[in-house]
Amino acid sequence: LTAVDPRVLALAAQVTESREQDIPLLLLKLKGILNSTSLGCEESKKIKQDIYSYDLTQYCMLVLRQDHSRLRGGWGTAAQLAEILSHCCVGLEVKEDPEEFYKKFLPSAIDNLLVLGRRLQARFIRAIKDEEKQDFLRWFRTVTDAICWLFGGHIRLAACVLQNDHFLQLLITDDVETAIIMMSVLHNILRINSSVLLQVDEETLHSVLDELVYKLSSTTNPVIGNAATKLLLLVAKFCKQVVKLLTARYKGLKGLLSKQWTGKGFDRDLCQLLDLLHLEQSNGKGEMQRQHQAACIIQAMWRGFQTRKRLKKLPQAVTTLQRSFRAKREQELQHLKKQKEDEALKLQMQLQRQRAMRLFHERQLALLEIIHASQVNKYMEEMEGKSALTIQRFWRGYRARRNFHQQRQSLKEYKAAVVIQRAACKFLEKRRRRRLLAPWKDPKGLTDEQRLALQQKVDDYIKLHPASQMSEEMSKELHMQAQEKLAQFLLRSRLDQRAAQRRETLLAQVNTDVELLMNAPGLAETTEKDLDVFMSRSIPVATKAKQSHNTMLKYSRWPWWKKLGDEFVEDDAIPDDALNAELGTLFIGGRK
């Protein structure tokens, strides 16, 4: 085993022990370590292996994902770290677990570099000052160069870059400078791996070609036109299948190139591309004509056959059409008629319901004016009882009808079973009548030995469980003791009840006094009426009785549907929330 480079070892220790915001600046020291050796020598490979073994490349890749606008060094540090990451990965020979390096680490590094490129592109487009735009453009070019360097060292990454969504987003931009840089990256991909377009999926290929053709059709900038034309020419030279796709997918491409881009300074590349498109179009023109003629003949024969077939079926079709039209019209008329009947029935039911509610309210108001206050509760109880009986009667009828419809099949089965059982019983009865009566046999009695054994068991049980005996004097004494204890208990319970009633009365009196004191006005506002309230207890009692009576009247006037939840409540009981809503903080029965 060869010794680890002490600089790499010291840097790894510093990164491990440092804070997160200091790691990007520490990783910039890798640039000096990599530049200290010549490119491609064994010492350089050994240093890159040490850097990868101590996870410094992992740190670089993770740092690229962060928002560098809040970190020390800013986006310039991020661009330098992208360059360092690409140099560390190119020329690196991983001996332990190479599959993870090639299939996981390198695609993840490409993805992080493209994400960094998108962020720099967005900030370049939003920048206002020329100095800021130049800095962001320089950093963006550094990142794209790092991407080119990375897939240049690992050719298999070219397809990974082309299929990445971030690469397509970078390519689809209206900014001229960044678009030229991204088209140069695409040019390098095609130059390094000419068959990469055949390795990617069809959707990616169409997206790239669509963007190149769109740039040719939407701009007049000769730099953009030159780059897009060179890319299409390079694609057409390397992939004959792409030429067929260009001629088939983009019908007006040839006319667009000849009319809009002739004489713009790149006529040589433009003429080569037009020649390739014209050659492919001329080769496929004869085959297309033969296919067109064959398709016309097939279509003419098929149309003639279909026309003759329709003419034969025309009378039957007319009859069927008329029948279906009449049926549909009849169905629509029935539907409209049913809809009008339903609306009329609904309106009639609504009017009946309103009339019934109005008569009910009028009757309630008239009866409340006639009936004495002491008879209101009794009348309301009778009305509630009648209403409950009516609701229950209708509900039971509805439930019985519903159960009858649900149990109709089971009822049929039950009747069928009764018929079968009746027939079977008649059959069995006839068979029993035909049988001869068996001779009478006396029941067997107990023998003498069985009788003696049974008597012995009874005697043994009586000996084991003797009955308790008590004299007459002891019974009378026990009865007198029980009578005395019962009298003492009844006397004590009566005294306790009187004491409890007195306590409740005193507690209610104290609560009423406290309420009067809390609601009493100040001394400066006191009148003779207020003094009478405190000097006589009849006034607060009368006030309380009046308020309780008003609350009970209001509760009795509630509609029946508001009191459905109180059907199992006692008749004289009124909800506490109703009394509290009316009386506020009035004390009733010693409770608040």
Side-chain angles (χ1 to χ4, degrees):
L1 294 176
T2 57
V4 180
D5 192 290
R7 296 173 296 176
V8 176
L9 188 61
L11 181 59
Q14 291 179 5
V15 170
T16 305
E17 297 174 357
S18 300
R19 296 178 300 176
E20 184 178 356
Q21 57 267 27
D22 297 334
I23 291 177
L25 296 179
L26 291 175
L27 292 175
L28 293 179
K29 296 181 181 179
L30 290 173
K31 188 173 183 180
I33 298 174
L34 293 172
N35 293 334
S36 63
T37 58
S38 59
L39 189 64
C41 64
E42 294 296 330
E43 185 180 358
S44 175
K45 294 181 180 179
K46 179 63 177 60
I47 290 175
K48 293 177 181 179
Q49 180 66 36
D50 294 339
I51 292 172
Y52 179 77
S53 300
Y54 281 92
D55 292 334
L56 293 177
T57 52
Q58 291 279 0
Y59 276 107
C60 291
M61 188 172 64
L62 294 175
V63 167
L64 293 179
R65 278 277 184 181
Q66 298 179 3
D67 186 6
H68 290 271
S69 59
R70 301 179 180 180
L71 299 178
R72 296 174 60 186
W75 296 102
T77 303
Q80 294 182 29
L81 290 177
E83 187 178 7
I84 291 170
L85 178 62
S86 64
H87 281 81
C88 289
C89 294
V90 175
L92 175 61
E93 297 178 359
V94 179
K95 298 178 180 179
E96 297 180 359
D97 197 4
E99 184 177 358
E100 182 181 0
F101 175 73
Y102 289 106
K103 293 185 178 181
K104 294 183 180 181
F105 180 78
L106 288 179
S108 180
I110 284 291
D111 188 69
N112 290 347
L113 290 173
L114 290 172
V115 169
L116 179 60
R118 286 194 63 185
R119 291 178 177 176
L120 290 173
Q121 185 188 48
R123 281 164 175 78
F124 168 74
I125 294 173
R126 291 198 303 264
I128 300 175
K129 298 180 180 179
D130 294 338
E131 186 178 355
E132 291 182 358
K133 293 181 73 69
Q134 292 300 323
D135 291 339
F136 280 115
L137 184 63
R138 184 177 69 255
W139 295 333
F140 179 75
R141 188 177 288 109
T142 302
V143 173
T144 54
D145 292 342
I147 295 173
C148 294
W149 181 263
L150 186 57
F151 67 71
H154 301 280
I155 300 177
R156 288 180 292 182
L157 291 178
C160 180
V161 174
L162 202 60
Q163 289 180 336
N164 197 294
D165 294 336
H166 299 297
F167 176 78
L168 294 177
Q169 293 294 330
L170 286 169
L171 186 63
I172 302 172
T173 179
D174 294 332
D175 183 69
V176 177
E177 296 176 338
T178 56
I180 293 171
I181 294 174
M182 290 310 302
M183 284 193 287
S184 67
V185 173
L186 181 58
H187 188 276
N188 290 331
I189 292 174
L190 297 175
R191 183 175 52 82
I192 292 172
N193 188 0
S194 58
S195 62
V196 67
L197 293 177
L198 301 178
Q199 299 174 4
V200 300
D201 55 282
E202 186 177 0
E203 183 179 359
T204 303
L205 177 60
H206 289 174
S207 300
V208 173
L209 294 178
D210 289 345
E211 182 59 25
L212 293 178
V213 175
Y214 172 75
K215 290 185 183 300
L216 287 172
S217 61
S218 63
T219 184
T220 57
N221 193 329
V223 180
I224 296 291
N226 186 14
T229 303
K230 286 183 178 180
L231 281 174
L232 290 177
L233 179 61
L234 188 62
V235 170
K237 284 182 178 180
F238 288 145
C239 303
K240 299 298 181 183
Q241 299 177 359
V242 179
V243 181
K244 295 180 180 180
L245 180 63
L246 287 174
T247 55
R249 186 177 175 85
Y250 310 103
K251 300 294 184 180
L253 178 61
K254 185 178 176 182
L256 174 68
L257 293 174
S258 59
K259 291 180 181 180
Q260 185 171 345
W261 296 105
T262 302
K264 299 291 185 180
F266 49 92
D267 292 343
R268 181 179 177 182
D269 296 334
L270 184 63
C271 290
Q272 292 181 9
L273 180 60
L274 290 173
D275 292 340
L276 289 174
L277 295 176
H278 180 72
L279 181 62
E280 180 62 28
Q281 188 175 3
S282 61
N283 291 335
K285 190 173 182 179
E287 183 67 23
M288 289 179 63
Q289 288 180 353
R290 286 193 297 271
Q291 292 179 358
H292 178 71
Q293 291 177 357
C296 290
I297 294 172
I298 294 172
Q299 289 175 359
M301 296 296 292
W302 173 252
R303 291 193 187 98
F305 171 73
Q306 290 291 333
T307 303
R308 290 189 295 273
K309 189 176 179 181
R310 283 197 299 271
L311 289 175
K312 289 180 180 179
K313 294 182 178 180
L314 186 60
Q316 184 181 359
V318 171
T319 305
T320 305
L321 180 62
Q322 290 175 351
R323 189 187 303 113
S324 62
F325 174 75
R326 293 190 186 100
K328 185 176 181 181
R329 184 176 60 183
E330 184 66 23
Q331 186 179 3
E332 289 179 354
L333 292 175
Q334 292 291 338
H335 179 70
L336 290 174
K337 183 179 179 182
K338 185 179 178 181
Q339 188 175 5
K340 290 180 180 179
E341 291 177 355
D342 293 340
E343 291 179 354
L345 180 60
K346 185 176 180 181
L347 180 61
Q348 186 179 2
M349 291 179 63
Q350 186 177 3
L351 292 175
Q352 290 179 359
R353 190 182 297 110
Q354 291 177 355
R355 190 180 299 112
M357 290 296 294
R358 184 169 62 252
L359 293 176
F360 174 75
H361 288 303
E362 291 177 357
R363 188 167 58 254
Q364 288 283 343
L365 292 174
L367 289 174
L368 288 175
E369 292 177 356
I370 296 171
I371 297 174
H372 193 267
S374 61
Q375 300 295 325
V376 169
N377 290 336
K378 184 177 179 180
Y379 170 74
M380 294 306 297
E381 290 173 3
E382 293 177 357
M383 292 301 296
E384 288 177 0
K386 292 180 181 179
S387 301
L389 289 176
T390 303
I391 294 171
Q392 291 173 0
R393 184 172 64 256
F394 278 96
W395 167 249
R396 290 192 188 99
Y398 165 74
R399 185 174 59 185
R401 289 190 295 273
R402 185 185 62 185
N403 294 336
F404 175 75
H405 288 295
Q406 292 177 353
Q407 298 175 0
R408 181 177 294 178
Q409 183 64 26
S410 60
L411 184 61
K412 289 182 180 180
E413 295 175 357
Y414 174 76
K415 290 182 179 179
V418 170
V419 173
I420 294 171
Q421 289 175 359
R422 187 183 298 115
C425 290
K426 288 181 180 180
F427 173 74
L428 294 175
E429 183 67 23
K430 289 179 180 180
R431 288 188 61 181
R432 278 196 296 269
R433 290 177 181 178
R434 292 176 183 176
R435 291 180 183 176
L436 296 175
L437 295 176
W440 174 259
K441 293 182 180 180
D442 295 332
K444 294 182 179 180
L446 294 176
T447 61
D448 296 337
E449 294 179 358
Q450 292 177 349
R451 190 178 290 107
L452 290 175
L454 184 59
Q455 185 64 34
Q456 184 65 32
K457 288 182 179 179
V458 173
D459 295 339
D460 293 340
Y461 182 81
I462 291 173
K463 289 179 182 179
L464 291 174
H465 304 86
S468 59
Q469 298 179 357
M470 184 181 292
S471 62
E472 186 176 358
E473 291 79 5
M474 294 177 63
S475 299
K476 291 181 179 180
E477 185 179 356
L478 184 60
H479 178 69
M480 293 300 294
Q481 292 178 1
Q483 290 293 331
E484 290 178 359
K485 290 183 178 180
L486 180 60
Q488 292 176 3
F489 172 75
L490 293 175
L491 181 60
R492 192 184 308 111
S493 63
R494 190 177 296 110
L495 294 176
D496 293 341
Q497 186 177 4
R498 290 178 180 176
Q501 291 178 354
R502 180 173 177 77
R503 284 196 300 271
E504 291 180 359
T505 304
L506 291 175
L507 182 60
Q509 181 179 350
V510 170
N511 290 333
T512 305
D513 293 340
V514 171
E515 178 68 17
L516 291 173
L517 288 173
M518 292 177 65
N519 296 329
L523 293 177
E525 301 174 356
T526 304
T527 61
E528 293 182 359
K529 293 183 179 180
D530 298 329
L531 295 177
D532 293 338
V533 170
F534 288 96
M535 293 176 66
S536 175
R537 294 197 173 275
S538 60
I539 295 177
V541 172
T543 304
K544 175 182 174 182
K546 183 178 179 181
Q547 292 177 348
S548 300
H549 178 69
N550 292 334
T551 303
M552 287 188 290
L553 281 179
K554 183 176 181 180
Y555 179 72
S556 63
R557 293 171 185 170
W558 282 0
W560 60 271
W561 50 269
K562 278 193 175 182
K563 296 184 286 186
L564 283 178
D566 303 331
E567 55 184 86
F568 297 107
V569 183
E570 296 181 0
D571 296 336
D572 296 335
I574 298 176
D576 291 340
D577 54 354
L579 290 176
N580 292 334
E582 287 292 328
L583 305 180
T585 57
L586 182 64
F587 291 93
I588 300 174
R591 296 185 298 109
K592 186 174 180 178

